[in-house]
Amino acid sequence: MKKVVIDAGHGGTDGGAVGNGIIEKELTLEISQYIHNRLDELGIENTLVRDSDVTLEPTERVAKVLEPYGNNRDVLVISNHINAGGGQGAEIIYALRDSDTFSKKIATELENSGREVRKYYQRRLPENPNKDYYYILRETNVSEPLLIEYGFIDNMNDANK
């Protein structure tokens, strides 16, 4: 059975996006704690990268992702985020080394729960298209990471959901 590492994006001095009375770091922590508790109920081994409002530098965050279960293909990493910039709906970004299977499943489940899903995709570093744009995808070795943007914090419809 796969193990799950849950990353609440941002935290501490990095508040992330802000809009409609919502601060990204607070909402990503709530989402992550919910997922953690639900996986516990289902008997799925999992851990949180952060369980409070702390600042994690990129290298420290990656170390905390890899620490509990090591560098293994049987580890799923879910990095939770809230988007900003005038769009609507969820986006799921998966690593260049992975197929779209896991991201498609997440997109389907989000849609089944009533969330609009804009797309699931891969994003490359402009200066090196062989590398993932997001460090949480790029630096997590052989695990299977996803970065999930649950909606747009600056969109009232998404914020209300």
Side-chain angles (χ1 to χ4, degrees):
M1 179 173 288
K2 301 245 183 196
K3 298 169 185 84
V4 183
V5 176
I6 307 157
D7 174 35
H10 306 281
T13 59
D14 177 7
V18 177
N20 290 304
I22 302 168
I23 301 170
E24 182 177 7
K25 71 175 183 174
E26 295 173 359
L27 187 53
T28 60
L29 183 56
E30 286 181 41
I31 291 167
S32 297
Q33 289 170 329
Y34 173 83
I35 293 170
H36 171 66
N37 292 334
R38 186 68 182 116
L39 292 176
D40 279 350
E41 290 171 1
L42 295 170
I44 298 170
E45 193 170 346
N46 73 94
T47 188
L48 287 165
V49 170
R50 73 177 179 91
D51 60 5
S52 62
D53 188 19
V54 296
T55 302
L56 297 172
E57 297 302 323
T59 54
E60 185 180 10
R61 187 177 297 273
V62 169
K64 286 184 166 284
V65 165
L66 297 174
E67 180 181 290
Y69 307 119
N71 180 16
N72 294 299
R73 281 299 297 166
D74 68 341
V75 177
L76 303 174
V77 179
I78 300 173
S79 186
N80 295 307
H81 292 268
I82 310 298
N83 223 334
Q88 182 171 332
E91 297 181 347
I92 301 107
I93 304 99
Y94 61 100
L96 298 175
R97 65 183 172 269
D98 295 322
S99 74
D100 66 356
T101 304
F102 185 34
S103 60
K104 267 201 252 192
K105 286 181 182 179
I106 296 295
T108 299
E109 291 305 316
L110 288 171
E111 287 172 334
N112 289 343
S113 74
R115 299 285 313 145
E116 176 185 340
V117 175
R118 288 167 49 105
K119 59 184 173 177
Y120 51 92
Y121 63 100
Q122 296 170 313
R123 186 169 179 195
R124 300 170 185 273
L125 264 179
E127 62 272 16
N128 185 347
N130 294 319
K131 292 187 175 184
D132 284 291
Y133 181 84
Y134 297 101
Y135 75 86
I136 202 72
L137 304 180
R138 183 176 62 243
E139 304 297 328
T140 50
N141 296 317
V142 300
S143 66
E144 187 170 357
L146 291 182
L147 191 148
I148 304 173
E149 302 272 9
Y150 288 91
F152 283 76
I153 207 164
D154 53 353
N155 178 296
M156 187 58 79
N157 289 330
D158 280 0
N160 286 337
K161 290 181 182 176

